[in-house]
Amino acid sequence: MSGAGSAGRTHPAPATIGDPLIDTHGRVHRDLRISLTDRCSLRCTYCMPEQGNEWLAKTSILTLDEIERVARIAAADGITTFRLTGGEPLLRTDIVEVVRRLARISGPDGTPVEVAMTTNGIRLPELLPALIDAGLHRLNISLDTLRRDRFHALTRRDRLDDVLAGITAAAESGLRPLKLNAVAMRDVNDDELVDLVAFAIDHGAQMRFIEQMPLDAGHTWDRSRMVTQDEILAALSARWDLAPLPGRGGAPAARWTIDGGPDTVGVIASVTAPFCGDCDRLRLTADGQLRNCLFSTTEYDLLPILRGAGQPHSPGAEVLDASIDGMLRSCVHGKLPGHAINDPSFLQPARGMNAIGG
Ligand code: SAM
Ligand code: SF4
């Protein structure tokens, strides 16, 4: 990737489709989180307001063709995993087709991308066979509590049984590793951490606890209420011997073996032990905004590019694809070394987690 410059000096040629997405801190980007909708069947207190949410305009939501187009270029640039999220990704009526189209994409060396999904699980019993047939590789399912009254209070919907049915369907499928995610919350579910791990082990799944982040639409996050990684590990250590697992790479969760393994538990400690130095993730919101961090307040708008010109096979297609590639590179280039949650100047992004894509 070099070119002849003036006065005998050489300058790197501008990056093009097929070059890796490397930011100014040397991080190579391999994971694209694609939010498919900001709508949801639950209203988790740490994510969405009970009512009065300002939904994204329906006309701005990316179509299947638009998502596929961005995904193809991202894969050519070295993205190896697409994680579908939301809002609740299973609320997209074309979800099976989204998975099918994305699972057909390969990287530059011909290796197919991995298609993973983070879901509340509610629609899995009806959709999982079709999703697996379409090429879904991996599932993360959110489960914050095993108690029905708590679940109702926390999600403002009485749907624990539906989530548990979704987890059973996933456990019975061949998709592994299966991960269950819980946001640990003081005086809400912090007395259930051991029960949740035991439940996950019973279902052949890996439990992962997430430190609560300042991303709720109501902007009510309170650091003093947050359950920290250290507290989570202390609670679990009272029941099991935990040993740290090396080899985390770019994964958000640090992991520990339970009583020598093979079962493990993970903690995503975005607040008390940020892992920004190894972050390899980019995000695409349901309305076509590229983001280089969950906590970023800057977005890179793909909608005018996607909708401004060209159809997939028109003469303008190459120009359009180059513009999408350019926007991916601008987004990567603008990535800061780390988030600033722990800085007094931190500003919470305007979007809630459901509209960013967790
Ligand atoms: N609806 C799907 C689900 O709940 O799995 C996918 C979207 S949800 C936004 C993705 C993940 O983000 C979930 O595991 C959820 O628990 C997590 N999450 C949402 N708001 C959060 C917050 N303020 N802090 C930490 N995790 C959060
Ligand atoms: Fe919906 Fe997931 Fe947000 Fe809960 S965390 S409200 S399930 S998007």
Side-chain angles (χ1 to χ4, degrees):
M1 213 183 57
S2 64
S6 59
R9 292 174 56 201
T10 56
H11 295 284
T16 57
I17 297 176
D19 288 332
L21 297 168
I22 306 178
D23 70 12
T24 57
H25 308 280
R27 294 169 294 195
V28 182
H29 289 73
R30 303 196 187 286
D31 181 315
L32 178 65
R33 314 259 156 144
I34 304 176
S35 176
L36 297 177
T37 177
D38 59 333
R39 309 267 162 164
C40 193
S41 38
L42 302 179
R43 292 288 180 277
C44 303
T45 50
Y46 49 71
C47 180
M48 293 178 75
E50 184 163 16
Q51 46 198 336
N53 195 61
E54 283 186 29
W55 303 110
L56 300 175
K58 284 203 169 126
T59 50
S60 71
I61 302 296
L62 295 187
T63 64
L64 180 55
D65 287 340
E66 289 167 342
I67 293 168
E68 184 185 13
R69 181 159 214 153
V70 177
R72 278 193 183 284
I73 295 163
D77 292 345
I79 293 291
T80 55
T81 303
F82 299 132
R83 174 167 296 284
L84 306 179
T85 181
E88 175 46 41
L90 295 180
L91 290 187
R92 275 275 298 223
T93 51
D94 57 359
I95 183 63
V96 173
E97 199 49 29
V98 171
V99 171
R100 194 179 307 285
R101 295 256 204 115
L102 297 186
R104 276 192 209 136
I105 297 176
S106 297
D109 63 356
T111 308
V113 292
E114 271 212 333
V115 182
M117 184 184 292
T118 301
T119 170
N120 64 28
I122 289 176
R123 295 198 67 210
L124 278 179
E126 64 187 288
L127 288 171
L128 192 54
L131 292 168
I132 292 174
D133 177 68
L136 183 72
H137 292 99
R138 283 188 289 120
L139 271 176
N140 290 3
I141 306 176
S142 299
L143 177 71
D144 295 319
T145 174
L146 294 163
R147 302 195 195 172
R148 189 169 171 185
D149 53 338
R150 283 188 182 177
F151 185 93
H152 193 169
L154 181 56
T155 67
R156 302 162 173 135
R157 300 289 187 270
D158 185 12
R159 304 204 63 176
L160 177 61
D161 289 346
D162 297 322
V163 172
L164 295 180
I167 292 171
T168 300
E172 287 170 355
S173 79
L175 294 189
R176 291 295 183 278
L178 172 63
K179 297 176 186 170
L180 302 184
N181 292 340
V183 178
M185 287 162 284
R186 195 170 307 287
D187 302 332
V188 175
N189 65 353
D190 56 342
D191 57 348
E192 279 190 81
L193 305 185
V194 165
D195 292 349
L196 284 163
V197 173
F199 175 89
I201 293 171
D202 278 351
H203 288 77
Q206 179 201 127
M207 195 69 221
R208 305 190 319 163
F209 295 104
I210 310 175
E211 286 182 346
Q212 189 173 352
M213 298 179 276
L215 289 169
D216 57 307
H219 293 226
T220 59
W221 182 78
D222 176 355
R223 173 183 299 272
S224 65
R225 306 279 306 155
M226 200 192 73
V227 179
T228 64
Q229 169 167 267
D230 286 350
E231 290 174 297
I232 293 165
L233 294 177
L236 301 180
S237 297
R239 165 78 178 269
W240 294 290
D241 282 334
L242 303 181
L245 258 182
R248 173 181 184 173
R255 290 201 294 151
W256 287 260
T257 53
I258 297 173
D259 282 347
D263 295 311
T264 63
V265 62
V267 182
I268 300 176
S270 312
V271 182
T272 65
F275 35 87
C276 306
D278 291 317
C279 178
D280 66 354
R281 289 174 283 288
L282 292 176
R283 294 186 146 77
L284 175 64
T285 68
D287 59 343
Q289 309 296 308
L290 283 169
R291 299 175 59 89
N292 53 34
C293 178
L294 264 180
F295 303 99
S296 170
T297 50
T298 307
E299 300 187 333
Y300 298 78
D301 192 357
L302 279 174
L303 261 197
I305 297 174
L306 287 165
R307 303 215 169 148
Q311 293 301 313
H313 302 294
S314 76
E318 272 180 33
V319 176
L320 183 54
D321 286 350
S323 302
I324 295 168
D325 179 67
M327 195 59 94
L328 279 164
R329 287 178 200 287
S330 299
C331 180
V332 168
H333 185 78
K335 186 155 170 162
L336 299 174
H339 67 59
I341 309 180
N342 297 311
D343 190 301
S345 64
F346 173 71
L347 278 182
Q348 184 173 337
R351 287 173 188 261
M353 186 67 138
N354 67 304
I356 295 174

